[in-house]
Every structure is written in structure tokens, then in C-alpha cells.
Amino acid sequence: MSARYLGLGSRFDSGPSPLLVQTGFRTESRQARHLHRGLGMADLAHLLALRDAGALPEPASSRLLRAVVELVDLGVDELAYDPADGDAYNSREHMLQDRVGTDAGWLSLGRTRREAGRVAFYLAARSALLHVHQTVADLADTAITRSLENLESWWADLTYWQPAQVSTFGHYLLSFAHEAARHLDRIEASWTRCGLVPVVAGGVAGTTVAVDRSAYLRRLGLVGAPTTSRDAMWSVDGLLDIGFVADHVAITASRLAEDFLLFASVPFGYVHLHDAHCRASVYLPQKRNPYALMVVRGGSSVITGRVSGLVTSVRTASAQTDNWIYNYGEVLETVELTAQLAALMTEVLAEARFDVQRMAATALDGFTEAPDLAERLVAGSGLDYRTAHSLVAAAATAAERRGDTRLAAQDYESLARQSGVDLGPADARSLVLSRAHDGSATPNEVEAAAARLRQHLAGRNAWRDKTHQTADEVAARLVAEGRTASTSPTEGIHP
């Protein structure tokens, strides 16, 4: 262990403490499953850039390129990333040393391990963000589908878990589609931020090697933002953006799960989960525990906890690496979990059955017609809204004292005597249809909003598909260039 580790530097007289390996290097080494391919892309781009600059000798250039391509071809599961060798970058250097000997040392010309790690991380983050983009788009699309199925599913919408106003379940579901769709913009903004990577950064302030930075970035499929090498290397806003995006998505999924947990309970009975999303009680034969909803809620809490930890960990001095030791893997695994939770909640929503008859039967319970009646009193009598509000509230209180859960004929008669306005009995459908304005719960308005949102989703899906295709093409082109260059010697410096 110590001999291999000491081979990376001459300022140490011993290898790392076993406890340091266990607590530090092992954490970094585990991140290889996320970073392996990105490290391969970073290595290829760096070697080709050095080669273009005439900074690599032959035959070392060809031999090293062949070895890096071999690591990329093998994949992470076929290689042994040994924490005793250090972090994932150091493990790869040892793998290359085993293949090409001291020629592996050329890979560090003009580049630190931090630079390679940052490039690998942001490439991996871009891929992970595209995956969560897909799951969030699916959640929005499923919410739209279920919304359109429930355009005339009358129910009492709730605030503070109390009956608030007569609405439609389609209007309720569409609100989650809109919220999910807005996350797509956040994901895309974070994906763009991930293009800010440190290349040609040297230790922190640049390198004397005459590398073409623009060509370097093009090989990686990135656009170099106008910034400094220090900013690209040490800024943490990109990490935070990714974490916040994940938390946004998880919270949306969790809020829907929280609602469904209540709606699926026996006192409500509005939502019936598919058996595939429930779990039986070991002791209670009658139970259908809504296990999938607990998974989503619990997972969301885990993500919020991780993001809180992320925020705390990046509050270091401006050029410290302690937060990155943990955050490469932590952030990427957080995005991975977020995608899983969004996908699960999408499946729950798609397979759930809604008892629209039960919703409609209780739509007026809790005096949910009250706000509409107060507005009609204002329109018919000229009363100010606060006075009309008091009259309707008094009628609801009288009904409640009689043991009623909705206004009766005698309450309407009392309101007519006090205001001079004959309101007549209200029903859920007529109450909803009377509010025909943009964004309301009327079937036509919900349908129109759903159509606009679907059009927006189509654009976002097209962006993702194109971006995914381009990323695959860039990676394939880079590997192919590295493979070709490894068999085509070029002029370079000579040792």
C-alpha cells in the first residue's frame, strides 16, 4: 500500500494512516461509480489538448491514450478502485502506471487532480440532471392526464385541511403539473451552470503549457463561460444549484404524497392506491398501508437533510477541499434519489383510483358555498363584502348549531330576508361554472391551461432529447478521437 501511494510524491516518508484510508480515501474512492466515465472523458480531452500543443512525446502519447481508452472501455465495474491508493484519481493513475509505467506521469502535466475531478463531477451531474428532468416531465405529464380525466369531478378543495371552496379535482391535480413543470426550468439552468468547469487551470491560476482552452472545452461539449480559473475551480454555487433543484423536486413529490396520505384514509376515501403501492400489516388483517407514500415522504426528508448538510459543508474558506471530499458522491446520489422519488410518485398518481362520487357527495359539506354566496349578496344588494361575509358566517353558525354540515332552505330564506336577495339553493356544478375566468376551476379553463402546459412540456422534452443525443455524440466522438490518436503518432516534445 505505502509503496504505491508514495510513488505519487517524494515529500512523504510513510503511507496514509489506515484510519485516514477508512474515513477519507474510502469515501472518495466510492465516488468512482459516479465519476469513472467523466474522469475518462477528462483524461482524453486533456491528453489530446497536450498533444495538440506539442507537449507530449512519442511513443508515450500513443501508449497513454491507448491505456486511457482501455479504462473507458472497461467501465467502472471491471476495475478495482482501491482506497489504499488514494482517491479515484490516484487509483486511476496507479491503473495507468500498471499499463504504461512512467508514461502515466504525463497525464498530470498542467493539471491537478482537482481539475480532473471537477470536470468529471460536472459531466456526471449533467447526465444526472437530464435523468431527473425526464422523471419530472413524466410527473407533470401524468398530472395533466389525470387532471383532464377529472374536469367535472366536483369536490371541496381544502385549506388548513378544512373545506374551503367548491372546485374540481382536475383543478387540484393540475396545480402539481404546473409546479413540476417549473422545476424543468430550474433543472435546465443548473445543467447550464455545470458547463463552468476548470480546464487549463494549473494549480489555481493557470499553466505555462500552451493549451487551447476553447478547443479543450469543445471536445467535452462545453462552452467556456467568461470567468477565471480560480472561480471555475473553487466556486460552490454549482453544487448548491444542483442540491436546491433536487430539493425542489422532492418537496413537490412529497407534498402530493402528503395529500394522498390523507385522501386515502378511511374518513376521506377519495383516493384508492393500487395494491402495488401498498403493504400489508403483519398483525392487522384489514390494513392496506400506503407504503409508497411513506417512501416518498421519507425520501424527501432525507434529501432536505442532505441539502442542509451541503449548505453547511460549503461554508468554508474559498479554496478548501474538505467539502468536495464528500459532496461529489453526496450530491450525485441526492439527484439519483430525487429521480427515483419523482418516478415513484408518478407511478402512484397514474395507477390511483379516485372516488369522484364520494367527493361530489361531500362537496358542499363544511359550508363550502359560503364565499360564493357572500359575493352574490354583494352583487345583488350593494352590501360591502365584510357585511355580506358576516351574514353568511352567521347563517353557517346557525346551521352548525342545529347539527347540519351545509346550509338548508331556512338559511337561504334568512339570508334573503336580511339582504333582499333571493339566492336560491346552490349545487357544486353551478358554483364552479359561475367562476369563468383565467385560472379558475371551470372545466374549460382547466382544459385550456392543461393544453398550454402540455405545449410547454413538449418544448422542454425536445430540449432534453436533443441535449442527451448531443452529449452521447460528444462522448463517442471524444473516445473515437482518442482511439485514433493512440495509433497515429504525432510530433511532440522529446524528453
Side-chain angles (χ1 to χ4, degrees):
M1 174 187 76
S2 60
R4 287 172 64 89
Y5 183 77
L6 289 171
L8 295 176
S10 58
R11 290 183 58 82
F12 299 94
D13 295 325
S14 72
S17 156
L19 283 175
L20 178 59
V21 172
Q22 183 67 29
T23 58
F25 293 164
R26 187 174 299 280
T27 296
E28 294 183 281
S29 184
R30 280 199 299 265
Q31 296 165 356
R33 82 175 183 92
H34 300 293
L35 302 180
H36 171 73
R37 184 161 182 80
L39 286 170
M41 298 300 106
D43 288 349
L44 286 173
H46 186 65
L47 288 172
L48 290 168
L50 293 176
R51 194 171 185 267
D52 290 347
L56 288 183
E58 286 293 356
S61 172
S62 298
R63 294 181 64 208
L64 188 50
L65 279 165
R66 279 196 297 274
V68 170
V69 170
E70 179 184 341
L71 294 187
V72 172
D73 288 342
L74 285 174
V76 66
D77 293 332
E78 299 172 84
L79 296 168
Y81 279 86
D82 188 350
D85 290 336
D87 60 12
Y89 180 90
N90 284 358
S91 287
R92 289 174 62 83
E93 186 161 349
H94 286 306
M95 296 175 198
L96 292 172
Q97 286 175 347
D98 290 341
R99 287 164 170 78
V100 299
T102 58
D103 286 344
W106 288 99
L107 191 58
S108 296
L109 178 62
R111 185 186 73 164
T112 64
R113 84 182 76 192
R114 286 192 306 275
E115 180 177 312
R118 301 290 197 271
V119 170
F121 169 77
Y122 282 120
L123 290 177
R126 280 192 155 193
S127 178
L129 286 168
L130 289 180
H131 179 51
V132 80
H133 190 285
Q134 172 75 68
T135 62
V136 172
D138 289 345
L139 176 59
D141 186 69
T142 300
I144 292 172
T145 297
R146 299 312 311 264
S147 171
L148 293 174
E149 294 170 358
N150 288 276
L151 292 174
E152 297 190 21
S153 297
W154 321 110
W155 82 312
D157 206 341
L158 308 171
T159 61
Y160 298 91
W161 292 135
Q162 303 300 312
Q165 194 173 18
V166 181
S167 183
T168 70
F169 205 61
H171 188 256
Y172 161 82
L173 292 171
L174 193 63
S175 68
F176 287 95
H178 275 106
E179 188 172 312
R182 286 192 293 273
H183 297 330
L184 300 179
D185 299 327
R186 297 184 176 98
I187 294 168
E188 291 172 29
S190 181
W191 182 93
T192 299
R193 166 59 183 84
C194 289
L196 177 60
V197 299
V199 298
V200 199
V204 65
T207 174
T208 60
V209 183
V211 171
D212 184 337
R213 182 173 181 270
S214 296
Y216 197 137
L217 290 169
R218 281 197 300 273
R219 279 192 170 103
L220 293 168
L222 304 174
V223 177
T227 188
T228 65
S229 55
R230 192 180 197 278
D231 174 53
M233 180 71 77
W234 291 108
S235 57
V236 298
D237 55 294
L239 278 172
L240 292 172
D241 285 347
I242 298 167
F244 292 153
V245 162
D247 207 17
H248 268 299
V249 172
I251 287 171
T252 295
S254 181
R255 290 173 66 243
L256 181 57
E258 187 83 35
D259 284 0
F260 273 26
L261 188 63
L262 185 73
F263 297 158
S265 66
V266 173
F268 275 81
Y270 294 168
V271 174
H272 185 88
L273 299 186
H274 192 282
D275 286 350
H277 301 130
C278 298
R279 189 162 77 171
S281 168
V282 171
Y283 176 72
L284 303 166
Q286 80 281 9
K287 294 289 294 296
R288 296 180 73 257
N289 291 324
Y291 190 68
L293 302 180
M294 317 309 293
V295 170
V296 172
R297 288 201 315 162
S300 176
S301 297
V302 167
I303 288 169
T304 297
R306 287 180 177 176
V307 174
S308 298
L310 171 65
V311 171
T312 301
S313 73
V314 300
R315 292 175 62 250
T316 66
S318 64
Q320 301 297 321
T321 195
D322 46 337
N323 63 80
W324 292 90
I325 293 171
Y326 300 96
N327 288 336
Y328 281 148
E330 189 80 2
V331 170
L332 294 172
E333 286 166 13
T334 295
V335 176
E336 187 175 65
L337 177 57
T338 297
Q340 293 170 349
L341 298 179
L344 178 58
M345 198 60 225
T346 299
E347 189 178 87
V348 169
L349 178 58
E351 299 295 331
R353 177 169 53 82
F354 306 133
D355 191 338
V356 296
Q357 286 77 25
R358 186 162 183 165
M359 292 183 198
T362 59
L364 294 177
D365 287 350
F367 315 107
T368 54
E369 72 270 49
D372 297 88
L373 296 181
E375 289 182 347
R376 286 166 62 184
L377 286 180
V378 170
S381 68
L383 293 171
D384 67 278
Y385 186 76
R386 187 54 58 211
T387 299
H389 180 287
S390 297
L391 291 176
V392 176
T397 300
E400 189 173 49
R401 286 172 177 167
R402 296 194 308 265
D404 293 336
T405 59
R406 59 179 66 184
L407 298 179
Q410 66 193 79
D411 302 305
Y412 283 97
E413 292 169 2
S414 175
L415 287 170
R417 286 194 302 271
Q418 296 175 78
S419 66
V421 179
D422 185 7
L423 296 172
D427 65 89
R429 182 177 183 277
S430 65
L431 289 171
V432 172
L433 294 181
S434 68
R435 311 187 209 110
H437 57 77
D438 289 348
S440 73
T442 62
N444 287 343
E445 291 301 329
V446 172
E447 193 169 30
R452 291 192 297 270
L453 189 54
R454 268 233 162 100
Q455 186 174 14
H456 175 71
L457 286 181
R460 307 285 34 90
N461 288 337
W463 173 86
R464 183 190 62 252
D465 293 344
K466 177 63 176 175
T467 301
H468 211 302
Q469 179 184 351
T470 299
D472 288 344
E473 291 170 354
V474 165
R477 190 161 54 243
L478 180 54
V479 173
E481 185 182 3
R483 201 183 307 277
T484 299
S486 72
T487 60
S488 305
T490 186
E491 293 296 325
I493 67 171
H494 298 281

